[in-house]
């Protein structure tokens, strides 16, 4: 079948099936073969790979994945797309289409059953309304993962790879960088999609760390500290932590910990690196 990455072919399929876009599902289909090539190259797909695609749409990227991967599983929430996918992917015997909500699936189980527990690759042009829950869900549930190569809103991609002291730096940057090395591989303008989104997009590759980049005694506690620090961005770190009702930390304990680390009493969370957050959380945990 001719590539769906060419706008005319996408239009033909959509008209034939009288498909109606559903805004609530974040449906913006890719219609640019250069961008598709770039995603596949960045994801570094080989025939040894088991690839999970989230939201295949009409199967535009799925076709590219099937050409390059060993096995592909494509999970699509919109039941109206399933008969279309049956047709656009009929040439391939290495693909399984599942009609489900990705947020409700146990991906760890999929990796165990379908890939013998070996790390899988995730590739997707993500529905933007659930970018963070999808990515954090994959990391936090400790799914065996090699990499996640995804199209996201440009601003979100920038937050994922930003460094301390920048205005984009925040809880998402720290969470992503704790689990993976983040690298923006392409910026993608709205005219590469049908319909056009209102925001710019970017492809980001997140390569899972083999070993944790920092030593942390209690991962969950560190992330509570991180969230509390950025919830009150304008406050100093010791006030932010000391006043956060959900944390068992007083302002005095926060001040002592910062002093022990040789940091200023007026420092804000946005200045701390991942390593410093790990150390801070280890000290506080020993003091509560
Ligand atoms: N991959 C296609 C492409 O690049 O042309 C479509 C990408 S579109 C941005 C996002 C896709 O994710 C849509 O097909 C949408 O229906 C699907 N989707 C939205 N929410 C989903 C969910 N919770 N689980 C699975 N798929 C979802």
């Amino acid at each position: 079948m001719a590539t769906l990455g060419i706008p005319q072919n996408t239009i033909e399929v959509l008209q034939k099936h009288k498909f109606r876009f559903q805004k609530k599902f974040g449906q913006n289909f890719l219609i640019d073969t250069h961008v598709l090539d770039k995603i596949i190259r960045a994801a570094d797909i080989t025939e040894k790979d088991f690839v999970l695609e989230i939201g295949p749409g009409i199967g535009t990227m799925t076709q590219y994945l099937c050409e390059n991967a060993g096995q592909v599983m494509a999970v699509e929430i919109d039941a109206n797309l399933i008969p279309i996918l049956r047709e656009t992917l009929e040439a391939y015997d290495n693909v399984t289409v599942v009609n489900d909500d990705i947020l409700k699936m146990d991906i760890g189980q999929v990796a165990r059953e379908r890939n013998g527990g070996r790390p899988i690759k995730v590739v997707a042009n993500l529905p933007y309304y659930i970018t963070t829950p999808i990515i954090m869900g994959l990391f936090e549930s400790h799914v065996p993962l090699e990499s996640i190569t995804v199209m996201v809103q440009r601003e979100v991609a920038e937050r994922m790879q930003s460094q301390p002291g920048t205005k984009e730096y925040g809880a998402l940057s720290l969470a992503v960088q704790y689990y993976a090395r983040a690298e923006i591989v392409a910026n993608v303008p709205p005219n590469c999609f049908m319909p056009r989104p209102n925001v710019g997009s970017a492809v980001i590759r997140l390569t899972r760390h083999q070993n944790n980049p920092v030593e942390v005694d209690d991962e969950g506690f560190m992330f509570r500290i991180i969230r509390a620090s950025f919830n009150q961005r304008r406050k100093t770190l010791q006030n932010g932590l000391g006043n956060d009702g959900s944390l068992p930390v007083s302002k005095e304990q926060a001040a002592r910990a910062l002093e022990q680390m040789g940091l200023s009493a007026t420092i804000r969370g946005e200045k701390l690196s991942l390593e410093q957050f790990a150390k801070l959380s280890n000290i506080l945990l020993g003091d509560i």
Side-chain angles (χ1 to χ4, degrees):
M1 122 118 28
T3 173
L4 298 164
I6 293 167
Q8 199 46 45
N9 294 343
T10 286
I11 292 169
E12 221 167 85
V13 168
L14 296 177
Q15 284 180 344
K16 178 176 170 200
H17 290 268
K18 299 189 173 60
F19 178 75
R20 284 166 173 272
F21 286 99
Q22 297 210 58
K23 223 175 175 169
K24 67 171 180 187
F25 289 144
Q27 293 176 336
N28 300 94
F29 297 165
L30 261 170
I31 45 163
D32 188 299
T33 53
H34 298 294
V35 175
L36 286 156
D37 281 333
K38 249 187 206 168
I39 297 173
I40 300 296
R41 234 177 302 131
D44 194 17
I45 307 290
T46 73
E47 62 203 13
K48 291 199 195 100
D49 290 319
F50 180 94
V51 177
L52 169 67
E53 186 190 9
I54 300 162
I58 59 169
T60 312
M61 191 153 72
T62 326
Q63 293 180 336
Y64 281 67
L65 293 170
C66 291
E67 293 285 344
N68 292 278
Q71 285 294 323
V72 179
M73 179 184 265
V75 179
E76 174 55 60
I77 198 169
D78 185 352
N80 293 329
L81 287 165
I82 304 303
I84 302 183
L85 287 163
R86 207 167 290 133
E87 199 174 297
T88 57
L89 300 176
E90 98 186 305
Y92 303 102
D93 60 7
N94 59 343
V95 60
T96 313
V97 175
V98 178
N99 182 202
D100 207 343
D101 177 347
I102 192 70
L103 294 177
K104 297 200 174 126
M105 281 181 71
D106 181 346
I107 310 298
Q109 191 182 347
V110 170
R112 280 191 299 278
E113 287 177 5
R114 302 286 308 271
N115 201 34
R118 287 184 302 281
I120 63 169
K121 288 181 178 168
V122 174
V123 183
N125 169 16
L126 285 180
Y128 293 170
Y129 73 108
I130 42 172
T131 299
T132 303
I134 290 177
I135 291 183
M136 293 322 297
L138 287 167
F139 284 140
E140 284 169 356
S141 58
H142 295 278
V143 171
L145 269 181
E146 194 169 327
S147 60
I148 302 178
T149 306
V150 280
M151 179 87 70
V152 297
Q153 203 173 318
R154 183 175 307 165
E155 189 198 308
V156 176
E158 281 164 3
R159 271 196 270 146
M160 287 182 189
Q161 68 154 29
S162 67
Q163 297 299 316
T166 59
K167 75 174 191 316
E168 295 84 13
Y169 187 64
L172 181 65
S173 331
L174 283 152
V176 164
Q177 292 167 30
Y178 176 70
Y179 292 106
R181 180 164 50 82
E183 185 190 354
I184 293 181
V185 291
N187 283 320
V188 183
N191 63 3
C192 295
F193 300 88
M194 183 186 296
R196 295 179 184 198
N198 298 325
V199 291
S201 302
V203 179
I204 191 162
R205 179 183 158 123
L206 309 173
T207 311
R208 184 83 167 86
H209 295 309
Q210 301 283 338
N211 300 304
N212 284 351
V214 293
E215 270 180 45
V216 57
D217 297 335
D218 182 337
E219 225 173 84
F221 185 66
M222 178 178 75
F223 283 117
R224 283 171 67 196
I225 298 278
I226 289 174
R227 272 194 296 273
S229 309
F230 288 95
N231 269 346
Q232 313 198 22
R233 229 187 148 97
R234 282 193 202 89
K235 287 198 176 161
T236 63
L237 189 55
Q238 56 172 287
N239 279 335
L241 296 180
N243 293 334
D244 189 291
S246 71
L247 274 177
V249 173
S250 67
K251 193 178 156 189
E252 290 67 35
Q253 284 168 317
R256 265 203 305 278
L258 291 175
E259 194 184 344
Q260 197 178 326
M261 290 173 67
L263 294 173
S264 151
T266 58
I267 199 163
R268 289 172 207 275
E270 64 205 29
K271 292 275 191 264
L272 262 63
S273 65
L274 175 61
E275 208 175 343
Q276 288 171 315
F277 269 113
K279 196 163 175 199
L280 176 64
S281 109
N282 291 347
I283 294 175
L284 287 172
L285 200 62
D287 195 27
I288 55 175

